[in-house]
Amino acid sequence: MNNSMVKKTLLGAAGAIALFAAATSAHATPVPVTYTGTTTLNGPPIIECEVTLTGTVDDMTGEVVVTGGMVEPGDAACAAVVLSDFPWTGTIAGGTLALSTPHATVPGVVNCVGTISGIQVVGAPVPSSFILNNLSFGTCSIDGVLSM
């Protein structure tokens, strides 16, 4: 093999390695996140509680996956609120998020289930907060801000 062929082979190998590295670094990366804030659920009744949601936000695709949540005391009714049907999923597009399958209940009192559309997203690629401004949630509505 002459020097010219060796150089071409080495350049080709270096190019292939560079392409592979670029392709793998551009791969979507789910970032673990936790958002907390005060929300008001209007079922009726009206229940104001501190909510914490955990999950991931994909910093390349905008996919949001909520894998868990808990409700802290606020109103006396907060202890009875149950969040369920995880994971809740959605994709950030145009500065908003529609979150599918969220479910909040106060057993025997109110059952809120359905997609929450129009959630305002603040920050990118991983949002610093989500704003819920009197958004429909099945037969309920929800207000509040959840921040990192």
Side-chain angles (χ1 to χ4, degrees), residues 23-68:
T24 56
S25 68
H27 178 68
T29 306
V31 176
V33 292
T34 299
Y35 293 94
T36 302
T38 302
T39 61
T40 303
L41 182 65
N42 185 354
I46 296 171
I47 305 169
E48 185 176 298
C49 305
E50 185 81 11
V51 174
T52 299
L53 298 177
T54 57
T56 59
V57 175
D58 193 302
D59 63 356
M60 296 291 290
T61 66
E63 180 182 24
V64 175
V65 179
V66 179
T67 56

Side-chain angles (χ1 to χ4, degrees), residues 1-17:
M1 224 187 220
N2 66 32
N3 278 345
S4 177
M5 289 180 72
V6 170
K7 286 181 184 177
K8 286 181 184 176
T9 301
L10 289 174
L11 284 174
I17 290 169

Side-chain angles (χ1 to χ4, degrees), residues 5-145:
M5 289 180 72
V6 170
K7 286 181 184 177
K8 286 181 184 176
T9 301
L10 289 174
L11 284 174
I17 290 169
L19 282 174
F20 176 75
T24 56
S25 68
H27 178 68
T29 306
V31 176
V33 292
T34 299
Y35 293 94
T36 302
T38 302
T39 61
T40 303
L41 182 65
N42 185 354
I46 296 171
I47 305 169
E48 185 176 298
C49 305
E50 185 81 11
V51 174
T52 299
L53 298 177
T54 57
T56 59
V57 175
D58 193 302
D59 63 356
M60 296 291 290
T61 66
E63 180 182 24
V64 175
V65 179
V66 179
T67 56
M70 60 186 225
V71 178
E72 299 292 332
D75 284 353
C78 293
V81 175
V82 178
L83 303 178
S84 61
D85 294 345
F86 296 103
W88 304 344
T89 60
T91 301
I92 298 168
T96 64
L97 169 68
L99 197 59
S100 298
T101 71
H103 192 174
T105 60
V106 175
V109 178
V110 66
N111 185 30
C112 306
V113 61
T115 298
I116 303 174
S117 297
I119 300 169
Q120 297 173 7
V121 177
V122 178
V126 176
S128 58
S129 60
F130 294 98
I131 300 170
L132 303 110
N133 188 10
N134 197 34
L135 300 176
S136 294
F137 177 31
T139 58
C140 307
S141 66
I142 188 165
D143 276 301
V145 177

